[in-house]
Every structure is written in C-alpha cells, then in structure tokens.
C-alpha cells in the first residue's frame, strides 16, 4: 500500500514522502496513529493544502521536544531491583520502568514508546539508553540498576560490584580448620 507520510518516521521517510509499505503496517500503525494518509488523489490534494500547517506543527513539536531533551540528556537515573550474587536480576527493567523513572524525576511525561530499549535489562550496572522524544530529537541517558542507593553510588564511581570475592577456610584463619586437621580422620572432637 502506498501512503503519504504526515511526519518523519524512522527508517521510512520524511514528511510528504510517498512510500510503499506493507498493508498491515499501514492499517495497524501508520493510519490509526495519524502518521500517514493513503496515497489517493484526494488525499494528495488534501495534504498539499495542509502542508504548511503540518510543517508548522512539526516545527513546534520538535522545538518542545528539543527543550525537554536538554533536561534529560546525559543524566543518570537509578532503578532499585533485587538481584542474585552474580548480578543477575530477579526480573528485568523494561522501557516502562525507565520511562516512569525519568518522568518522576523531570516532571513531564515520558512514554515507554519513547525509550529505545531493544531488550529488557537483566543485570546490575550502568546501561546507556536512547530516548526519542520526537522522531528528529534524541537524548541519551544512563540507567543505573542497583540493589540499593549505596550500591548505586558505588557503581557511579566506577566500582564493579558484580565480582564475587572467593575465600577459603585457610584465608579465614578459622580455628575450626586447625582443630579438624589435628583430630585426624575418624576421630571425634567431642571430649
């Protein structure tokens, strides 16, 4: 199906472009969300008459998104989750969790579809994520996933918390190990 784009759509085209897309993509995404019109003669004339208004609206939205982007670009947001000793989360951090953390911090809504997360975050640590507030405006944020606020501060300073410390009985210097060695095999420690 051929459609006329009413705004810039990533990997597809810019406003006013006539592109050929799959029918399902047009019917289920582009047309219901007002991102495109079917490329009929009547719609082409309608688009040409509204082009100036659409470009002005797009420019205003891009300016607003650029202002909002300045407030979040380069910032770090902490998300507290439970995790195992190796740093694997007992769940995951999704785009919705990231959007909620950013929205709570900055005071304006950031929707989950603005967060460009290819797959959920499943480990502790610092994760770079892109946020698309407008098709032409992108901000980069750091998501700090930690077990506690103290651990988040340590991660921010560059400390790697996923390394497990290994100790043996000899390293601990326990008297139990020495007593077992003296008792020998088959002897009881009870007296």
């Amino acid at each position: 199906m051929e459609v006329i784009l009413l705004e810039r759509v990533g990997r597809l085209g810019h406003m006013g472009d006539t592109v050929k897309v799959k029918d399902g993509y047009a019917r289920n995404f582009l047309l219901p969300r007002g991102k495109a019109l079917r490329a009929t003669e009547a719609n082409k004339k309608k688009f040409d008459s509204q082009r100036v208004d659409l470009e002005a609206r797009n420019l205003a939205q891009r300016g607003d998104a650029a202002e909002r982007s300045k407030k979040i670009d380069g910032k770090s947001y902490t998300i507290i989750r439970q995790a195992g000793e190796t740093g694997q989360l007992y769940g995951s951090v999704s785009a919705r969790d990231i959007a909620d953390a950013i929205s709570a911090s900055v005071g304006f809504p950031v929707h989950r579809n603005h967060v460009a997360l290819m797959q959920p975050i499943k480990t502790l640590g610092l994760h770079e994520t892109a946020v698309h507030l407008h098709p032409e405006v992108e901000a980069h944020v750091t998501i700090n996933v930690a077990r506690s606020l103290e651990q988040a501060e340590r991660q921010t300073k560059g400390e790697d918390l996923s390394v497990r410390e290994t100790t043996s009985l000899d390293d601990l210097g326990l008297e139990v190990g020495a007593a077992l060695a003296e008792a020998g095999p088959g002897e009881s420690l009870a007296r």
Side-chain angles (χ1 to χ4, degrees):
M1 171 185 304
E2 283 195 358
V3 295
I4 304 167
L5 297 178
L6 298 177
E7 63 182 51
R8 183 182 180 279
V9 178
R11 299 183 187 154
L12 197 56
H14 295 280
M15 181 189 306
D17 292 349
T18 302
V19 294
K20 186 170 178 74
V21 296
K22 293 190 176 188
D23 292 348
Y25 182 58
R27 281 194 309 265
N28 297 325
F29 181 73
L30 295 174
L31 297 175
R33 296 187 184 192
K35 294 180 181 282
L37 291 172
R38 290 179 187 260
T40 62
E41 288 303 317
N43 283 340
K44 286 179 185 179
K45 290 177 185 175
K46 179 180 174 183
F47 174 77
D48 287 337
S49 66
Q50 295 178 348
R51 185 178 191 109
V52 174
D53 294 335
L54 290 171
E55 287 176 353
R57 184 182 70 179
N58 183 43
L59 188 62
Q61 288 175 348
R62 186 174 61 204
D64 183 44
E67 288 298 317
R68 291 179 174 195
S69 173
K70 289 177 186 175
K71 293 180 182 178
I72 66 171
D73 195 27
K75 300 279 172 80
S76 178
Y77 301 95
T78 302
I79 297 178
I80 305 299
R81 290 287 189 264
Q82 292 182 348
E85 288 183 26
T86 59
Q88 285 293 110
L89 297 180
Y90 291 138
S92 63
V93 175
S94 66
R96 176 175 289 161
D97 298 325
I98 294 170
D100 291 344
I102 294 171
S103 295
S105 174
V106 296
F108 58 83
V110 175
H111 301 286
R112 67 183 174 142
N113 57 353
H114 291 160
V115 178
L117 192 63
M118 295 302 155
Q119 57 190 1
I121 298 171
K122 297 188 178 204
T123 58
L124 294 174
L126 301 172
H127 303 276
E128 294 290 327
T129 305
V131 179
H132 301 279
L133 298 174
H134 185 269
E136 299 170 17
V137 177
E138 181 177 299
H140 295 278
V141 297
T142 302
I143 304 302
N144 188 348
V145 182
R147 290 184 188 101
S148 65
L149 291 175
E150 296 82 28
Q151 190 179 45
E153 290 174 15
R154 290 172 48 199
Q155 282 181 164
T156 302
K157 294 177 184 173
E159 188 175 336
D160 185 13
L161 302 175
S162 64
V163 178
R164 285 180 56 181
E165 294 181 16
T166 57
T167 56
S168 65
L169 288 177
D170 294 335
D171 293 339
L172 294 175
L174 297 177
E175 294 177 11
V176 175
L180 287 173
E182 287 177 15
E187 293 182 26
S188 173
L189 291 177
R191 295 186 184 183

